[in-house]
Amino acid sequence: MPHIPALHDAYQAQARIKPLIWQTPVIASPVLAEKTGAAQIHLKLECLQKTGSFKVRGAANKILSLSGEERKKGVITFSTGNHGKAVAYVAGQAGLKSVVCLSEHVAAYRVAMIKALGAEVSLKGHSQDEAEKNYQLLMASRGLVPVVPFDDPKIIAGQGTIALEILSKLPDTDVLVIQLSGGGLLAGMAMVAKSINPRIHVVGLSLEQSPAMLESLKAGRPVQVPEKDSLADSLLGGIGFDNQYTLPMVEKFADEHLLISENEIKDGMFHIFDKHRLIVEGGAAVGIAALLNQKINVKGKKVVALLSGSTINADEYIRIIQGRLPRGAKQ
Ligand SMILES: *Cc1c(COP(=O)(O)O)cnc(C)c1O
């Protein structure tokens, strides 16, 4: 196994990224606690984070760690969503050039958000794979420095700072409920939590639609799963065939894995709107979905669930919420 990031790396990341991020609030959810029999349930609000998701933490830790030589070259990434926004934002703040490669099918609102943050957008190809090919070509021809979305020690340590913030406020946390896609988030948070208190129970939530990490854990190597659309688009995608860090770290640090369905995601989004007046994207709501549906045994436990982001188109959001209103489905 290559050198995996450790607690110390997360503390260094915390100091490094402080000027670029918010320390987001943690709020109590008495309704969910009552429903599940938990002693306490808290929600960590990374949906209020700069750029609309926690991804700014990893991107900031990576970009602010580059050498002077690398900074002059500028950075490049490919991402349809929150990682692309985070890289564009951090590069802009740090005075670096950034290029984000997207396929021609990416929703116009996402292209606009990334451009508005100051990145150069390169639109090419009809799939995520073709966008990745364009990224490889541009990286080589223009000498840009890659900033990958999850499989990088600096990205993982950056995401780990979320757990540092949670445990500084709630040091007797028993259970952490964390989204799982490429695994940078869970690897970082779980590594930090287990280093501080090995008894913390870490639950990872994957999509029924695209459980790439779970299939890879079963196979013992990175595997690709057929990709279907999901309301939780931030959780789609593979883990990379050359995965070095997140697969072994998730294997080591996650205690329990659950799959979440599309209907459960809608329930979770509605609950967060209805009980907390917060707008979150589908991928952020999976922890609430699992708790609401009593999929995790939290009786008597102190639980923290992460609301990971809020990047969603207004039309789509309103449709989902309206469909969950008592008579909204008929409209
Ligand atoms: C990227 C992302 C995740 C998953 O993070 P990974 O590091 O890919 O596992 C979860 N929620 C949101 C909102 C994201 O943008």
Side-chain angles (χ1 to χ4, degrees), residues 53-55 82 150 179-185 234-235 281 283 308-309:
S53 85
F54 70 87
K55 290 266 189 349
N82 288 329
F150 50 85
Q179 292 77 358
L180 178 54
S181 174
L185 175 64
S234 293
L235 303 184
E281 58 178 284
S308 51

Side-chain angles (χ1 to χ4, degrees), residues 36 42 95 102 150 211 221 236 248 306:
T36 55
H42 283 90
L102 303 172
F150 50 85
R221 63 182 162 78
L236 291 171
L306 179 70

Side-chain angles (χ1 to χ4, degrees), residues 234-251:
S234 293
L235 303 184
L236 291 171
I239 69 161
F241 283 117
D242 51 357
N243 188 296
Q244 289 188 72
Y245 300 98
T246 63
L247 177 59
M249 288 182 78
V250 170
E251 171 149 53

